[in-house]
Amino acid sequence: SSSGGGAVTAATVKKYSSSPFHNADAVFILSFSTIMLNTDLHNPNMKDEKRMTVEEFIRNNRGINNGENLPKSFLNDLYYQIKHKEIQVQGNTADHVLSEVVATTATGSGGSGGNDYECSGASEVKKTGEMRERMGPVSTSDAAWDGILSKSSEVETAFFTPSDKARKTFFRAGLHERDMFTSIISMSIQCISSTFVRSWDDLLVVKALRGFRQMAEICIYFDLEERLNEILETLLGYGRDYVLSTIMLDRKVYNDEEENNDNKKGGEDSDDEEALFDEIPYSVLSRDATSSFASISSPSHFRDTVTGSASHRGLLSLNCALTLIRQHPFRIREAWPALVGCIFALRDADALPVGLADLDDFADSQGVVLPASPFSRLSQRRVNAYIASILTVEESDEGSWFWRSLFGGQKRKLLSLTHDGSIAGGSGNLSPSRKQSFKQAPPLTEALLFVVKTAELDRILIRSRDLPLATQIIHVLLETMDPTSYDFLPFSYSSTYQRNAGSEVSDNDEAAQEDLLFEHNAVFALELAARALLSNQQHAPTLYPMFLSKFQSILVPERSDAQQQQHESLSPCPKGTKKESSSQRHLSSAALRAPYIMERVVVTILRSCIHLYDAPGMRQYLKSSLKLLADLPMEFVKHISDRLACGMAIILRGRFCQLETSDEWNLVGDLLDRAAHFRSGRRFVFDGIASSVDYALCPLPEVGSKSTDVLDAVENDGVKVTYEGGYILVKLLTYFVFGKYDGDISMRRLAMPRLEKMYWILFHMSVDHSAVDEHNKPMEGMVPDEELWQIVASAFHECSLSDNLDTSRQGVGCMRRFLLTTKPDSMSDVGWITILYSLSSRRPSVEADDARIEYCDLLGKILLLLLPKLSQRSENWDELTAIVKQTAEVFGENLRAGRRGNVSPLFESTVQTVTNMCNVMSLSEFDGGAGFSQWAGEALLAELEKV
């Protein structure tokens, strides 16, 4: 509405009863154009010859009606109505004035209201008042219009405020300004974008960029976050295209050095080539550089400052977007996926700082990072091969534009690729010095690195301590790991490459339609999300459920019954492993869609357990995550066993004291066992167990100490592991001793002392130290778990039979301490007979004199220790008879081997052992009246008499 005239009269409305407008945008644009026309025609400071003509007005509004023109007669009528009747705006109209006028009119004539009319001096007002008197009572609406008309003396003259004066004047914008800005922002973005993309004038490109920045700041002021994100998406899109072009250019120009050297016959670098890399506008990239341009008075100086801006507009766009995001991260919503797409491109362009671009991984004890897995190598080969294939595709016109759009103007020819793959418009090659400098720091990559470091991307993405912001970032990053929702990213790598390279994708080729860089980008997104989680450990219970949900969808995908049966048939169970459940087997098909993502999920779960297992509220989530790993198929574990083993070893070493329940220990033990099935992980598993036993669980005396010393050490230092945990560790150590894992016994010798220590820890934990026998003496050496005792004894016996002399001697020593410390009454007869039968039937080689001597001495002592007890029961005689005969055979072997040539120490030791046993067994006190011991002594003496 207006007080001084109308833009469209009733006659015009009647003439154009059918609206000429096709959409609301046309109305908004024409309204804005009408206001500008009104100002132009009635500005007293403008000369008449410079005012807009009707032809110019019609030309300015071409194509605004949804791509079509408004009727010329309509625009012509509008022009002359504005020309003959100016639209006037009230200077100080406010709601309280209107209310005052209405109140005055309602009280009747007279009073100040009449005086106000009189003061206005307008005859038209008086006539209106007289007509109102004849018509009857005055309505509220009429009174309001009278009040507005009475202010005609306050109508202001329309004029343009000079730009320099406007910049010096500050006022607080309000609701009306917000509405006006909202009505023009969409078209403004399109107009500025068109100028920014199409112009090759450096100055104009920088001004367009400043327009983006100013619009963004206005959006921030008015809390128009949706529009702000629209601007950021636009800027990030240009930046992403620039980065992708940089990747393509770098690989094309510099990765084919030998081929280019063969094609080049000589010559210097072209001027265009030097300009390509030397005209990067670092002055514009510098922080807040655009805001300082207003102080530059010399146009030539200004153009020198912004030189190269048109060629590197994408770089400037990226810098502007990242600066805005760094300054206002809490206002980012819809633009997060666009930022993630740019980060993916920057990583492939080697334009991220080393600490941000790398994937955290496990390392061995020397600090050397574990070698890349087959999944990792395959993913990287796929990326390299795909980009290489794009570079070799014969380019269409659209593909040539993709290259030329990176730089511009006169230098377009520089980057148009010829069909033979060389660079047109120059020598096609760079000088050796230029190549060498690029190998160290590529100019374009160096500029991108400058932008990234200035924007402090790591602080935005992974070091934010704000929970809502961290939640938003992690959610967007994890979404990129889902192939079904990966297309939510506005910038799909392969689709961009395929589009710009002119390649076609068949609708029937599902593999071709899938983004070939999906896995490559998804693992990096997971890495960033994991770092953000670890940077917000205080919020981990709130953030981690998002990870767990994603891990479950990746590691345990849902399948139909038919798919389940098919996958089970394709999942052979490796030899020596237990049969897996159906939830495990269906994943082991060779058709795993993204095995590298699965590998990185495993690494992330292990890292989370290492850092967060002691965090309040996290244990249940982490246990659920570890259970996912326990269900992985062995066919997959085989390729990541080193990482699984290394992570679990660190968890065991650092978190064993926090594993309190049997379920937790069984889960840890199962994962360690699964990793140890494969050679690449076996050593890490053993190192983790050995380190925990040696330095963490309980520092015990050296192997060979008396059992009482061992028990005292355990009692004084305290036990730091539960009985269930200790049992799991003993079980795993026996696996290494027995060579369960592919018959590998290389760690047997190292496992024995740890097994002995771990057994005594369990022994201490399970023994009732207050118990006494009938003589009121402490019941030391009582075995609380006979099954565990049998396992450990068998493990030591197995080591004593080793072909390695050192291992055999060490095994005999461990077995001697273990058996002789155990009291005869603490074990059942069956248990003792079992171990005696094993000792007498399987013995070390006679070639290993030292081990054989100690072994026979132990066999003699244990027989003398147990025979009186065992022979008292006649049902044991058959087994004892076989044991004595086998023992006599062992002594006979020693005597015969020792008489070959000179008399050996083995012979002398055997004679001494047999003589001592026969003398003791002949005593009536030893025999106990059963007569079995005397017979045993005679059987042994018979072997001695043979020699």
Side-chain angles (χ1 to χ4, degrees), residues 41 184 222 274 468:
L41 293 179
I184 67 170
F222 285 134
E274 295 293 333

Side-chain angles (χ1 to χ4, degrees), residues 464-468 470-471 533 535-545 618:
S464 173
R465 298 296 190 272
D466 182 77
L467 178 59
T471 302
L533 170 69
S535 297
N536 288 272
Q537 295 191 18
Q538 70 277 17
H539 301 308
T542 303
L543 298 174
Y544 194 79
M618 281 298 298

